[in-house]
Amino acid sequence: MNDYMRESLSYFGLYRKMFRIKKKYKPAEVSYGSDKEQYFLYYEPKKVINDKIIVWVHGGGWNAGNPKFFDYVGQCVCDQGYRFVSLGYRLSPKHKYPCQIRDVCAAYNSALNYLKDNGINVSRIIIAGPSAGAHLTSIMCYCRKVQQKYGVDVSNIIGFIGSGGPYSFRDDQGLTIRLLLNQLFRKGYNRKNGEPVSLMSKNNIPMLLIQSKHDGLIEYACAEDFAKKAKQQGNSCELYSVVDKKNTHSWYTAGMFMETREENKGLDKFFSWIEEL
């Protein structure tokens, strides 16, 4: 069975497991704009055991998903004792790029202000995102032009984790990602201005790229392209290949947060890497 078919058949199991996740933590919902999609959720663990804060941007092909749908990610991160912020953004095809990166930057700045207003130290931030979220957060973290344009200070970001990210818009991408990119960008837009590998600047934020060779949607070479560019720029990068049996796109980008660190090596790598920073 090819990986695309395995990905398609995985959704039933994912949804069934998602609806069984217990909601131990009730997040605060904060708007940063007038659109209903412009909000973020803040999760406070019952016992904070680490001063690092994980800021996460959801995936969904740029055209689906929101922080509330991915509540189980916040539940999982809080169980590990981390404060967690989940950023929302306006979706395609109604809203074309660069609307999404503008929203992510605005949401990030708003979230930092919210945390500081509540007396929380924001000097050790981890930025993370799966799939479309990895695309957007990698641009925010590593594109100096975007940081300057939208007023993002990355000096307090101590690490970036991207899972299953379309970091390069390769000619050998499958039909699904080509269709999603056609929805994301308006006709005639120079896609190099939205391609992470083309936008990367040199900085000191170490990165972990989690990618599967059996993704089904995103080519493994996308992460290899990004890692190669990082090396050229002198940026610290680790490329981790998924070894779990549940290695299709949805499972290792977001579904892993429904499992335990003992069950899922990718999830354990996610938290172990953060712990070692």
Side-chain angles (χ1 to χ4, degrees):
M1 187 187 302
N2 66 41
D3 294 323
Y4 179 81
M5 183 65 69
R6 290 178 63 232
E7 166 68 13
S8 300
L9 294 176
S10 71
Y11 299 147
F12 176 75
L14 280 162
Y15 283 117
R16 185 174 63 177
K17 195 160 190 174
M18 182 177 71
F19 290 118
R20 293 177 178 175
I21 301 296
K22 294 180 180 179
K23 297 181 181 294
K24 303 177 186 177
Y25 311 94
K26 184 177 180 180
E29 181 178 343
V30 182
S31 297
Y32 66 88
S34 58
D35 192 278
K36 65 180 182 179
E37 294 167 342
Q38 292 177 308
Y39 72 94
F40 63 84
L41 298 179
Y42 170 65
Y43 294 76
E44 175 81 13
K46 294 176 180 177
K47 183 179 180 181
V48 177
I49 62 173
N50 200 300
D51 63 349
K52 296 166 187 168
I53 301 170
I54 298 175
V55 177
W56 196 78
V57 176
H58 69 82
W62 302 282
N63 67 2
N66 57 61
K68 293 176 183 177
F69 180 83
F70 290 99
D71 173 77
Y72 64 87
V73 181
Q75 302 295 327
C76 174
V77 173
C78 275
D79 272 345
Q80 294 294 315
Y82 292 94
R83 292 184 170 100
F84 181 76
V85 183
S86 182
L87 308 181
Y89 53 92
R90 288 171 289 177
L91 303 174
S92 69
K94 179 180 179 180
H95 300 284
K96 301 296 186 182
Y97 190 89
C99 173
Q100 290 74 23
I101 187 62
R102 183 167 62 244
D103 277 5
V104 167
C105 291
Y108 176 70
N109 286 336
S110 181
L112 287 193
N113 289 332
Y114 173 86
L115 294 171
K116 287 186 283 189
D117 288 345
N118 283 277
I120 298 170
N121 184 345
V122 297
S123 64
R124 306 182 76 196
I125 302 289
I126 309 295
I127 301 292
S131 194
H135 165 265
L136 295 170
T137 49
S138 64
I139 292 174
M140 186 183 79
C141 286
Y142 296 102
C143 179
R144 190 172 298 114
K145 289 183 179 179
V146 163
Q147 294 160 9
Q148 293 172 345
K149 183 174 183 179
Y150 299 119
V152 175
D153 180 3
V154 298
S155 61
N156 55 356
I157 298 175
I158 63 170
F160 164 79
I161 304 176
S163 305
Y167 308 108
S168 62
F169 302 153
R170 301 173 57 87
D171 293 335
D172 60 357
Q173 289 283 22
L175 177 61
T176 299
I177 188 64
R178 293 202 303 271
L179 292 173
L180 291 172
L181 289 172
N182 287 340
Q183 289 184 346
L184 179 65
F185 296 110
R186 64 179 181 272
K187 188 176 181 180
Y189 185 84
N190 183 358
R191 296 187 180 185
K192 293 294 183 183
N193 293 326
E195 183 186 42
V197 73
S198 297
L199 298 173
M200 186 190 294
S201 308
K202 177 177 175 57
N203 71 15
N204 61 356
I205 303 173
M207 69 177 79
L208 170 64
L209 306 180
I210 300 175
Q211 207 85 3
S212 172
K213 294 181 179 179
H214 299 279
D215 184 298
L217 293 180
I218 304 294
E219 294 294 327
Y220 187 81
C222 284
E224 293 180 313
D225 292 342
F226 204 57
K228 180 179 178 181
K229 182 64 176 289
K231 183 177 180 179
Q232 292 171 349
Q233 295 280 19
N235 296 335
S236 173
C237 176
E238 178 182 352
L239 175 53
Y240 172 82
S241 296
V242 175
V243 296
D244 298 287
K245 291 182 179 179
K246 294 176 179 176
N247 54 14
T248 53
H249 185 80
S250 295
W251 259 115
Y252 83 90
T253 57
M256 67 177 183
F257 291 98
M258 295 185 231
E259 301 196 317
T260 66
R261 294 177 64 169
E262 292 73 25
E263 292 173 319
N264 193 292
K265 293 181 176 64
L267 182 66
D268 186 60
K269 179 64 179 180
F270 179 92
F271 285 116
S272 295
W273 191 82
I274 292 173
E275 290 162 0
E276 292 169 4
L277 285 176

